[in-house]
Amino acid sequence: MRRPRACFVGASAGGVTALQKLLLELDDDFRLPMIVVQHLHPSTNVTPSLIYRSRARLSFVEAEDKAPIEEGHVYFAPADYHLLVEKTFRFGLSSDRHVQHARPSIDVLFESAAIAYGADACGVVLTGANQDGAAGLRAIADEGGFAMVQDAADAEFPLMPSSALKAVPSARTGTIAEIAKELSRISRS
Amino acid sequence: MTKIDEVERHLFFEGIYLKYGYDFRQYAEASLDRRLAGLLGDYQASSLLDLLKRALREPEEFRKILGSLTINTSEFFRDPTFFKVLRESVFPVLKTYSKVTIWSAGCSTGEEVLSLAIALKEEGLDRRATIHATDINPFVLKSAKTGIFEASCIPTFNKNYAAAGGTGTPSQYYGAEYGLVRFNPDLLENVVFSEHNLATDAAFLEAHLILCRNVFIYFSRELQERALELFARSLVHKGFLALGSKETLRFSSLAPNFQAVSPGENVFSLLSRSEPKP
Ligand SMILES: C[S@@+](CC[C@H](N)C(=O)[O-])C[C@H]1O[C@@H](n2cnc3c(N)ncnc32)[C@H](O)[C@@H]1O
């Protein structure tokens, strides 16, 4: 397997806690760009750096339109916008209609990642009470990218990860701790 | 999502451009591809070449396709704090001019223009201000000109009006008619609506304030650059430019020409023109 050049993470209900744990468990030398869609209420205005911590020296930022994607950063989709990646490895935002009842939608991010990064993308679907992310993870896997899904038993809300696993039966599954370990290994490889 | 073939996308937009003059060749690709994939599904077309054939032969269909390629979502006093900044930091400067020209570029269905007109009125600037409201899409302009909206927009209007620093009662600006609301026609008295394409058309006015909100996210960096040059040429010295709340000049080579007035709300003022006045 090639070392993915970026990892894309989708989380919904229960996601903030799951992400806090995942980010805390990453090794201190983790550098891989991480791009996150966490479903939130459209009017929430969160400052990622106030919510998330990590042992690794990572910057937690909201993804900005046209910003280049860089190592050592964890990017979060702004509330009420779809977040996409372009073939130029920069971000794009859009107010196109909701997908899977969600904006930002995990499918939208992942499908753009599959097109832009091809086999160099890594997709991770965490806890959630809907089916967003399943089609997107399929798209990443179809391009030869690396797919991971949180163990349904480990997830606070299992519907989202189990739907993703149904769409991509070959995806690697694991607890948050195991996913963090795997991501750390990939980042080093 | 159906994957869009690069060559077909290219031919599709070349064809549209040659036939109708609409230039989508430099829009942000990732979201545009999603809209194209949606269109292929809607038309049950197997490829963009089939869709192009229809668009070329049937202008009526092209109009519909045009509508699906642009995102027209808008809202009254969208990002209320932005309108507050306008009233507090921009209007006081506009008051020093005897005539004020404002350009709302990408005005869509008119919510932004009416919000602006109301704020100008409450600040006593309505008589000296002319608003030029432009968009690429003739359909949204036609609807904007009527001043009529679905009544469902009213809760947002009322809520945002107060948050945006409105000093009157929101209901003084509209009347309800059969599930619709009509905004007072005098609000649109000094508004000129016209088609203008930021990708292809030239500068046509000298403005004190340009609003181009929630349009840049649909453009590539190259197209943003073109539009910014156009704005720099269309603004008076120290004129204001307002972008959407998630749009930034940070990644543009023209950033040094602008100074942030209110960084949080993406309001800038022009320091120097990129070119002398024509
Ligand atoms: C999302 S709406 C923004 C409406 C309003 N400014 C607001 O912020 O609520 C974007 C508008 O930009 C228009 N637009 C897209 N491409 C354009 C172009 N090349 N030139 C002018 N307007 C364009 C679309 O037709 C659409 O009405």
Side-chain angles (χ1 to χ4, degrees), chain A residues 62 64-68 78 81 84-87 90 93-96 99 107-108 111-112 115 143, chain B residues 1 3 6 9 28-31 34-35 71 73 214 216-221 224 246 248 250-251:
Chain A
E62 188 177 281
E64 281 185 291
D65 188 52
K66 309 290 185 275
Y81 286 81
L84 304 96
V85 292
E86 299 283 352
K87 287 182 196 136
R90 287 173 183 266
L93 297 176
S94 101
S95 301
D96 276 89
V99 172
D107 280 344
V108 169
E111 286 172 357
S112 73
I115 293 170
E143 292 296 326
Chain B
M1 180 190 127
K3 237 172 125 178
E6 294 232 11
R9 185 203 310 106
E29 249 175 40
S31 59
R34 288 198 74 86
R35 273 167 244 137
I71 300 301
T73 346
N214 306 297
F216 270 21
I217 51 174
Y218 303 106
F219 288 2
S220 68
R221 283 172 76 217
Q224 287 189 354
K246 299 293 174 197
T248 165
R250 276 210 310 131
F251 308 108

Side-chain angles (χ1 to χ4, degrees), chain B residues 27 71-74 78 106 108 112 135-136 197-198 213-214:
Chain B
Y27 276 53
I71 300 301
N72 304 307
T73 346
S74 194
R78 187 176 192 166
S108 192
E112 177 175 286
D135 202 282
I136 180 184
N197 189 334
L198 294 167
R213 308 194 70 230
N214 306 297

Side-chain angles (χ1 to χ4, degrees), chain A residues 95, chain B residues 23-24 27 69-75 78-79 104-109 111-112 134-137 140 196-200 211-215 217-219 223 244:
Chain A
S95 301
Chain B
D23 192 353
F24 287 97
Y27 276 53
L69 289 176
T70 57
I71 300 301
N72 304 307
T73 346
S74 194
E75 198 180 292
R78 187 176 192 166
D79 310 311
S104 163
C107 65
S108 192
T109 35
E111 289 87 339
E112 177 175 286
T134 65
D135 202 282
I136 180 184
N137 185 336
V140 294
H196 181 281
N197 189 334
L198 294 167
T200 47
L211 275 74
C212 184
R213 308 194 70 230
N214 306 297
V215 180
I217 51 174
Y218 303 106
F219 288 2
L223 191 49

Side-chain angles (χ1 to χ4, degrees), chain A residues 81-172:
Chain A
Y81 286 81
H82 287 307
L83 175 65
L84 304 96
V85 292
E86 299 283 352
K87 287 182 196 136
T88 52
F89 307 118
R90 287 173 183 266
F91 289 115
L93 297 176
S94 101
S95 301
D96 276 89
R97 60 173 180 266
H98 291 60
V99 172
Q100 296 287 345
H101 310 289
R103 192 171 64 200
S105 146
I106 303 164
D107 280 344
V108 169
L109 174 68
F110 282 17
E111 286 172 357
S112 73
I115 293 170
Y117 282 85
D120 296 332
C122 161
V124 183
V125 175
L126 304 179
T127 167
N130 57 72
Q131 306 194 36
D132 195 12
L137 196 69
R138 179 74 256 165
I140 288 179
D142 283 346
E143 292 296 326
F146 186 58
M148 270 193 288
V149 169
Q150 186 180 7
D151 251 340
D154 185 60
E156 193 177 341
F157 295 87
L159 178 60
M160 203 165 85
S162 55
S163 306
L165 189 61
K166 211 182 271 167
V168 188
S170 62
R172 178 96 41 109

